[in-house]
Amino acid sequence: MVTASAAENSGSKWMVSALYTYPVKACQGISMDSSPVTETGLAYDRKWMIVNAKSGRFVTQRQVPRLALVQVSINAPWLELSAPSMSSVLRLPLHPKDTELGPPTKVRVWYDDVLGRCCGEQASLWLTEFVGRPVRLLYKDPDSSRLISRYAPPANLCKVPVQSAFADVHPFHIVTDISLDEINRHVPHKLSFANFRPNIVLSATDSTALPYEEEEWSRIEFEDINYWSMYVISRTPRCTVPNVDPKTGQMSTDGEPMASMRKFRCVDPGNPKAVCFGMQAVPSNIGQSICVGQSVTVCDRGSHSLTEPL
């Protein structure tokens, strides 16, 4: 949470250098040139999620590293899934009709109960064959909202309630390229953005920028016809997903890179045991577009501390 703000060193300049949406939680992302800013993040981000057919618990690369190999593409009006070992392509409607979905089912995403709706037998069979255990594919119930109160900015700052679909917590995840470069100086194997699954990648456009300085931001402004802001909420505690090789879908056997990152990225004062990289963020308003090449200015800075579970 932001506990203080300061004017010093604000105003540094950045640029949106990449955008990624992850329609199916735990599967590959899609690079985008632009996207509308929606209530739940970039277009289609984490609208679908795989769950264990028996327990109902969501399935990620922590349990099934091979999900990193599932390619996701948008071929309107379809969302298409393919994988190296699968002979067929799974095709799903981008905007499913009510009659194409099962009844609302409550599922747990970390600390939140979220309503999802089953995408049907064909999707279940395709993913079950790939995963090797019975699973189902859920679509976020469009008639319900998952409101996020943890680390949310005051309501007078955000014009819409903070919410997300099946993302772990907040609707946007930001990293900077110079911070990833710094990470790579201290781990045994070079990592890519795919290891950390950001929505927004920012590149510095002036020489004063420093690695990890995004951890001091509290508000950034995007250049547009009408300027709009994002509130930077908290650091992102990392699980073991960065240990999955995105190219092979295999979990590392030596605990890297998290083993090395634990030596220098346990930096949050509220949760000093958490390995952190990247920042959670929420938009001040929705409906506008975000695009690669857009200029970003740091407007306010402050400190962050994970004083309650994210």
Side-chain angles (χ1 to χ4, degrees), residues 255-288:
E256 294 292 353
M258 292 296 288
S260 291
M261 290 180 64
R262 191 167 298 281
K263 299 174 183 177
F264 65 97
R265 289 305 304 154
C266 293
V267 295
D268 190 273
N271 189 355
K273 294 184 179 180
V275 178
C276 296
F277 179 58
M279 301 300 289
Q280 301 282 305
V282 300
S284 59
N285 51 292
I286 61 173
Q288 67 279 10

Short mmCIF file of all heavy atoms in Angstrom, two decimals, residues 255-288:
data_model
loop_
_atom_site.label_atom_id
_atom_site.label_comp_id
_atom_site.label_asym_id
_atom_site.label_seq_id
_atom_site.Cartn_x
_atom_site.Cartn_y
_atom_site.Cartn_z
N GLY A 255 15.48 -25.16 -8.72
CA GLY A 255 14.82 -24.06 -8.02
C GLY A 255 15.13 -22.69 -8.56
O GLY A 255 14.73 -21.67 -7.98
N GLU A 256 15.81 -22.63 -9.71
CA GLU A 256 16.14 -21.34 -10.31
C GLU A 256 15.05 -20.92 -11.31
O GLU A 256 14.41 -21.75 -11.94
CB GLU A 256 17.49 -21.43 -11.03
CG GLU A 256 18.68 -21.66 -10.12
CD GLU A 256 18.99 -20.47 -9.22
OE1 GLU A 256 18.38 -19.40 -9.39
OE2 GLU A 256 19.85 -20.62 -8.35
N PRO A 257 14.85 -19.58 -11.40
CA PRO A 257 15.65 -18.47 -10.86
C PRO A 257 15.25 -18.02 -9.46
O PRO A 257 15.88 -17.14 -8.89
CB PRO A 257 15.38 -17.35 -11.85
CG PRO A 257 13.94 -17.58 -12.24
CD PRO A 257 13.79 -19.09 -12.33
N MET A 258 14.17 -18.61 -8.92
CA MET A 258 13.68 -18.12 -7.64
C MET A 258 14.70 -18.28 -6.51
O MET A 258 14.76 -17.45 -5.61
CB MET A 258 12.37 -18.82 -7.29
CG MET A 258 11.21 -18.43 -8.21
SD MET A 258 10.77 -16.68 -8.07
CE MET A 258 10.00 -16.67 -6.46
N ALA A 259 15.51 -19.33 -6.59
CA ALA A 259 16.52 -19.52 -5.54
C ALA A 259 17.50 -18.36 -5.50
O ALA A 259 17.86 -17.86 -4.43
CB ALA A 259 17.26 -20.84 -5.76
N SER A 260 17.92 -17.90 -6.68
CA SER A 260 18.83 -16.75 -6.73
C SER A 260 18.10 -15.46 -6.39
O SER A 260 18.64 -14.61 -5.67
CB SER A 260 19.46 -16.64 -8.12
OG SER A 260 20.35 -17.70 -8.37
N MET A 261 16.88 -15.31 -6.87
CA MET A 261 16.14 -14.07 -6.61
C MET A 261 15.84 -13.90 -5.12
O MET A 261 15.74 -12.77 -4.63
CB MET A 261 14.84 -14.06 -7.42
CG MET A 261 15.07 -13.88 -8.92
SD MET A 261 13.54 -13.87 -9.89
CE MET A 261 12.73 -12.40 -9.25
N ARG A 262 15.72 -15.00 -4.41
CA ARG A 262 15.46 -14.91 -2.98
C ARG A 262 16.60 -14.21 -2.23
O ARG A 262 16.41 -13.66 -1.15
CB ARG A 262 15.24 -16.32 -2.42
CG ARG A 262 14.70 -16.36 -1.00
CD ARG A 262 14.20 -17.74 -0.64
NE ARG A 262 13.09 -18.16 -1.48
CZ ARG A 262 11.83 -17.76 -1.33
NH1 ARG A 262 11.52 -16.91 -0.35
NH2 ARG A 262 10.89 -18.19 -2.13
N LYS A 263 17.77 -14.19 -2.84
CA LYS A 263 18.94 -13.57 -2.20
C LYS A 263 18.93 -12.05 -2.33
O LYS A 263 19.61 -11.37 -1.55
CB LYS A 263 20.22 -14.14 -2.80
CG LYS A 263 20.39 -15.63 -2.62
CD LYS A 263 21.60 -16.14 -3.36
CE LYS A 263 21.75 -17.66 -3.25
NZ LYS A 263 22.91 -18.17 -4.04
N PHE A 264 18.19 -11.52 -3.33
CA PHE A 264 18.26 -10.07 -3.54
C PHE A 264 16.92 -9.40 -3.83
O PHE A 264 16.87 -8.18 -3.97
CB PHE A 264 19.24 -9.74 -4.67
CG PHE A 264 18.84 -10.23 -6.04
CD1 PHE A 264 18.21 -9.39 -6.94
CD2 PHE A 264 19.10 -11.53 -6.43
CE1 PHE A 264 17.84 -9.83 -8.20
CE2 PHE A 264 18.74 -11.99 -7.69
CZ PHE A 264 18.12 -11.14 -8.58
N ARG A 265 15.82 -10.19 -3.89
CA ARG A 265 14.53 -9.58 -4.20
C ARG A 265 13.51 -9.74 -3.08
O ARG A 265 12.31 -9.56 -3.31
CB ARG A 265 13.97 -10.15 -5.51
CG ARG A 265 14.71 -9.71 -6.76
CD ARG A 265 14.79 -8.19 -6.89
NE ARG A 265 13.48 -7.58 -6.87
CZ ARG A 265 13.26 -6.33 -6.48
NH1 ARG A 265 14.26 -5.55 -6.07
NH2 ARG A 265 12.04 -5.84 -6.51
N CYS A 266 13.94 -10.05 -1.87
CA CYS A 266 13.06 -10.02 -0.71
C CYS A 266 13.14 -8.61 -0.12
O CYS A 266 13.91 -8.36 0.82
CB CYS A 266 13.45 -11.09 0.30
SG CYS A 266 13.18 -12.77 -0.29
N VAL A 267 12.39 -7.70 -0.70
CA VAL A 267 12.61 -6.28 -0.44
C VAL A 267 11.41 -5.56 0.16
O VAL A 267 11.50 -4.37 0.47
CB VAL A 267 13.00 -5.57 -1.76
CG1 VAL A 267 14.35 -6.08 -2.26
CG2 VAL A 267 11.93 -5.75 -2.84
N ASP A 268 10.27 -6.25 0.30
CA ASP A 268 9.09 -5.55 0.80
C ASP A 268 9.10 -5.52 2.33
O ASP A 268 9.23 -6.57 2.97
CB ASP A 268 7.82 -6.24 0.31
CG ASP A 268 6.58 -5.42 0.60
OD1 ASP A 268 6.03 -5.54 1.72
OD2 ASP A 268 6.18 -4.61 -0.28
N PRO A 269 9.00 -4.34 2.94
CA PRO A 269 9.08 -4.25 4.40
C PRO A 269 7.93 -4.94 5.12
O PRO A 269 8.08 -5.40 6.25
CB PRO A 269 9.10 -2.74 4.67
CG PRO A 269 8.45 -2.14 3.47
CD PRO A 269 8.84 -3.01 2.32
N GLY A 270 6.78 -5.03 4.48
CA GLY A 270 5.63 -5.66 5.12
C GLY A 270 5.65 -7.17 5.03
O GLY A 270 5.04 -7.85 5.87
N ASN A 271 6.34 -7.70 4.03
CA ASN A 271 6.45 -9.14 3.85
C ASN A 271 7.87 -9.46 3.40
O ASN A 271 8.12 -9.74 2.23
CB ASN A 271 5.43 -9.63 2.82
CG ASN A 271 5.35 -11.15 2.75
OD1 ASN A 271 6.12 -11.86 3.38
ND2 ASN A 271 4.41 -11.65 1.96
N PRO A 272 8.83 -9.40 4.31
CA PRO A 272 10.24 -9.50 3.94
C PRO A 272 10.67 -10.86 3.42
O PRO A 272 11.78 -11.00 2.92
CB PRO A 272 10.97 -9.15 5.25
CG PRO A 272 9.99 -9.45 6.32
CD PRO A 272 8.64 -9.15 5.75
N LYS A 273 9.81 -11.88 3.51
CA LYS A 273 10.15 -13.20 2.98
C LYS A 273 9.67 -13.40 1.55
O LYS A 273 10.02 -14.39 0.91
CB LYS A 273 9.56 -14.28 3.87
CG LYS A 273 10.17 -14.34 5.26
CD LYS A 273 9.61 -15.51 6.07
CE LYS A 273 10.24 -15.57 7.45
NZ LYS A 273 9.71 -16.72 8.24
N ALA A 274 8.88 -12.45 1.03
CA ALA A 274 8.32 -12.59 -0.32
C ALA A 274 9.33 -12.14 -1.36
O ALA A 274 9.92 -11.06 -1.25
CB ALA A 274 7.05 -11.77 -0.44
N VAL A 275 9.53 -12.96 -2.39
CA VAL A 275 10.35 -12.58 -3.54
C VAL A 275 9.47 -11.72 -4.45
O VAL A 275 8.42 -12.18 -4.92
CB VAL A 275 10.86 -13.81 -4.30
CG1 VAL A 275 11.68 -13.38 -5.52
CG2 VAL A 275 11.68 -14.70 -3.38
N CYS A 276 9.87 -10.49 -4.68
CA CYS A 276 9.01 -9.55 -5.40
C CYS A 276 9.64 -9.09 -6.71
O CYS A 276 10.85 -8.84 -6.78
CB CYS A 276 8.72 -8.33 -4.54
SG CYS A 276 7.79 -8.68 -3.03
N PHE A 277 8.81 -8.97 -7.71
CA PHE A 277 9.22 -8.34 -8.97
C PHE A 277 7.98 -7.94 -9.74
O PHE A 277 7.09 -8.76 -9.95
CB PHE A 277 10.08 -9.27 -9.82
CG PHE A 277 10.49 -8.64 -11.14
CD1 PHE A 277 11.21 -7.45 -11.15
CD2 PHE A 277 10.15 -9.22 -12.34
CE1 PHE A 277 11.59 -6.86 -12.35
CE2 PHE A 277 10.52 -8.64 -13.54
CZ PHE A 277 11.24 -7.45 -13.55
N GLY A 278 7.91 -6.68 -10.17
CA GLY A 278 6.74 -6.15 -10.86
C GLY A 278 5.81 -5.45 -9.90
O GLY A 278 5.90 -5.62 -8.67
N MET A 279 4.90 -4.67 -10.46
CA MET A 279 3.98 -3.87 -9.66
C MET A 279 2.54 -4.07 -10.10
O MET A 279 2.24 -4.13 -11.29
CB MET A 279 4.35 -2.39 -9.75
CG MET A 279 5.76 -2.05 -9.29
SD MET A 279 6.09 -2.48 -7.56
CE MET A 279 5.09 -1.25 -6.70
N GLN A 280 1.65 -4.15 -9.12
CA GLN A 280 0.22 -4.22 -9.38
C GLN A 280 -0.32 -2.80 -9.58
O GLN A 280 0.16 -1.85 -8.95
CB GLN A 280 -0.50 -4.85 -8.19
CG GLN A 280 -0.04 -6.26 -7.85
CD GLN A 280 -0.61 -7.29 -8.79
OE1 GLN A 280 -1.82 -7.38 -8.96
NE2 GLN A 280 0.26 -8.07 -9.41
N ALA A 281 -1.30 -2.66 -10.47
CA ALA A 281 -1.80 -1.32 -10.78
C ALA A 281 -3.27 -1.36 -11.16
O ALA A 281 -3.78 -2.39 -11.63
CB ALA A 281 -0.98 -0.68 -11.90
N VAL A 282 -3.93 -0.22 -10.98
CA VAL A 282 -5.34 -0.07 -11.37
C VAL A 282 -5.50 1.26 -12.10
O VAL A 282 -4.80 2.23 -11.80
CB VAL A 282 -6.28 -0.12 -10.15
CG1 VAL A 282 -6.16 -1.45 -9.43
CG2 VAL A 282 -6.00 1.02 -9.19
N PRO A 283 -6.42 1.33 -13.08
CA PRO A 283 -6.61 2.58 -13.83
C PRO A 283 -7.52 3.54 -13.10
O PRO A 283 -8.39 3.14 -12.33
CB PRO A 283 -7.24 2.09 -15.13
CG PRO A 283 -8.03 0.89 -14.71
CD PRO A 283 -7.24 0.23 -13.60
N SER A 284 -7.34 4.83 -13.36
CA SER A 284 -8.20 5.84 -12.76
C SER A 284 -9.58 5.85 -13.40
O SER A 284 -10.57 6.22 -12.78
CB SER A 284 -7.56 7.23 -12.91
OG SER A 284 -7.36 7.54 -14.29
N ASN A 285 -9.65 5.46 -14.66
CA ASN A 285 -10.92 5.38 -15.38
C ASN A 285 -10.75 4.37 -16.52
O ASN A 285 -9.64 3.88 -16.76
CB ASN A 285 -11.35 6.75 -15.91
CG ASN A 285 -10.26 7.44 -16.69
OD1 ASN A 285 -9.25 7.85 -16.12
ND2 ASN A 285 -10.45 7.59 -17.99
N ILE A 286 -11.84 4.05 -17.20
CA ILE A 286 -11.81 3.03 -18.24
C ILE A 286 -12.41 3.58 -19.53
O ILE A 286 -13.00 4.67 -19.56
CB ILE A 286 -12.57 1.77 -17.81
CG1 ILE A 286 -14.04 2.11 -17.53
CG2 ILE A 286 -11.91 1.13 -16.60
CD1 ILE A 286 -14.91 0.90 -17.27
N GLY A 287 -12.25 2.82 -20.62
CA GLY A 287 -12.81 3.20 -21.90
C GLY A 287 -11.79 3.77 -22.86
O GLY A 287 -11.97 3.71 -24.08
N GLN A 288 -10.69 4.32 -22.34
CA GLN A 288 -9.64 4.85 -23.18
C GLN A 288 -8.76 3.72 -23.69
O GLN A 288 -8.88 2.58 -23.24
CB GLN A 288 -8.79 5.88 -22.42
CG GLN A 288 -7.97 5.31 -21.29
CD GLN A 288 -8.73 5.08 -20.01
OE1 GLN A 288 -9.94 5.16 -19.95
NE2 GLN A 288 -8.00 4.76 -18.94
#
